[in-house]
């Protein structure tokens, strides 16, 4: 059974970096078919995709325009996990953050989600 | 890209059929066969109900069906049950390596 286990702090101070981890079990972060996403959800912004990574002979990373200057996604094959780093956060970044999988790679649907991590940006 | 438009709320009685709409544009919903639908219960992660406009993942009840006409996608739930009460979100690929979501519809089972 494929599972995504998220971890990371629930409180981040403004201007600091938000860092979350998603450990994958039952699949591989370096799968040649799946694509791995970070998506967030807030009352003010709704559901919003942030970025994705996938491996097709080499690693690829795509980021949403809204966060492109502040986001980095990492894939760690030794730990079979992906990580999200979002720097210079503001209260607008307060949201539930999810990691998710597109099993087909490029069909832009998400069949598996982590349980979500509520991250509050506050001093 | 603008968010897709969904009605804020819809209600129905047990046993009824209801249809949730998702309005986009000819740059997203109308251009690609890549609309997906998600059900979300309070405090839970979204769950995939429909993908590629009308395909149903294994394990999802056949009471759920998806369709599309022009720039509007629809999710129909037949034989409404109490457990169907949840928020429903549509999602569409919008080109240029981006995806847009709808604002969500709260379904109430009366």
């Amino acid at each position: 059974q494929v599972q995504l286990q998220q971890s990371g702090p629930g409180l981040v101070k403004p201007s600091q970096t938000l860092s979350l981890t998603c450990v994958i079990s039952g699949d591989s972060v370096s799968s040649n078919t799946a694509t791995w996403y970070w998506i967030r959800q807030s009352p003010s912004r709704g559901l919003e995709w942030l970025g994705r990574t996938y491996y097709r002979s080499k690693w690829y990373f795509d980021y949403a325009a809204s966060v492109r200057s502040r986001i980095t996604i990492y894939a760690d094959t030794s730990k079979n996990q992906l990580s999200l780093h979002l720097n210079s956060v503001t209260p607008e970044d307060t949201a539930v953050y999810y990691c998710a999988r597109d099993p087909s790679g490029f069909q832009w649907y998400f069949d598996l989600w982590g349980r979500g991590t509520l991250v509050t940006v506050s001093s | 890209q603008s968010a897709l438009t969904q009605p804020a709320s819809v209600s129905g009685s047990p046993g009824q059929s209801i249809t949730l709409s998702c309005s986009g544009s000819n740059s997203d919903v109308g251009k690609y066969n890549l609309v997906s639908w998600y059900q979300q219960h309070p405090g839970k992660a979204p769950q995939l109900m429909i993908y590629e406009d009308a395909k149903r993942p294994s394990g999802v009840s056949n009471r759920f069906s998806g369709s599309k006409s022009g720039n509007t996608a629809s999710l129909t739930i037949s034989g409404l049950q109490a457990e169907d009460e949840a928020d429903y979100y549509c999602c569409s690929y919008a080109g240029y390596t981006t995806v847009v979501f709808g604002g969500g519809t709260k379904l109430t089972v009366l």
Side-chain angles (χ1 to χ4, degrees):
Chain A
Q1 182 184 2
V2 186
Q3 290 186 325
L4 304 178
Q5 183 67 41
Q6 296 181 222
S7 62
L11 181 63
V12 181
K13 288 181 167 48
S15 80
Q16 294 192 342
T17 297
L18 179 161
S19 297
L20 298 174
T21 297
C22 176
V23 176
I24 302 163
S25 57
D27 199 347
S28 172
V29 71
S30 55
S31 162
N32 277 306
T33 54
T35 306
W36 305 96
Y37 288 78
W38 285 100
I39 295 167
R40 69 182 178 184
Q41 184 176 28
S42 67
S44 60
R45 302 173 71 96
L47 283 161
E48 178 184 17
W49 92 283
L50 300 176
R52 68 175 185 173
T53 184
Y54 56 97
Y55 184 79
R56 302 291 186 270
S57 301
K58 69 174 187 176
W59 287 101
Y60 293 86
F61 301 89
D62 296 309
Y63 301 122
S66 60
V67 294
R68 187 168 292 138
S69 62
R70 302 189 292 128
I71 188 174
T72 305
I73 291 175
Y74 295 96
D76 185 335
T77 56
S78 66
K79 297 179 180 178
N80 202 29
Q81 67 182 36
L82 64 156
S83 301
L84 167 70
H85 294 259
L86 185 66
N87 59 37
S88 305
V89 296
T90 71
E92 276 275 296
D93 294 310
T94 295
V96 177
Y97 286 76
Y98 295 100
C99 56
R101 180 185 75 169
D102 175 353
S104 70
F106 302 106
Q107 297 305 97
W108 293 88
Y109 66 90
F110 315 108
D111 73 327
L112 186 66
W113 296 65
R115 296 182 68 175
T117 301
L118 173 59
V119 179
T120 301
V121 179
S122 174
S123 54
Chain B
Q1 288 81 6
S2 301
L4 306 176
T5 301
Q6 298 183 249
S9 63
V10 167
S11 62
S13 300
Q16 274 188 323
S17 290
I18 60 98
T19 296
L20 310 181
S21 63
C22 170
S23 178
S25 71
N26 53 18
S27 297
D28 39 60
V29 173
K31 187 171 183 178
Y32 304 99
N33 295 325
L34 294 175
V35 172
S36 53
W37 288 88
Y38 302 86
Q39 177 192 68
Q40 186 177 35
H41 288 108
K44 301 293 188 183
Q47 178 187 348
L48 178 68
M49 306 304 285
I50 295 289
Y51 67 101
E52 294 176 18
D53 291 357
K55 296 180 180 179
R56 193 171 47 248
S58 61
V60 171
S61 170
N62 59 11
R63 298 186 299 105
F64 292 84
S65 61
S67 62
K68 191 173 73 176
S69 177
N71 297 335
T72 299
S74 299
L75 175 71
T76 298
I77 309 173
S78 60
L80 204 58
Q81 299 179 0
E83 67 206 47
D84 300 331
E85 184 164 295
D87 294 327
Y88 290 84
Y89 295 89
C90 60
C91 173
S92 175
Y93 181 59
Y96 303 104
T97 313
T98 193
V99 66
V100 288
F101 288 92
T105 295
K106 181 177 181 59
L107 171 63
T108 300
V109 180
L110 302 171

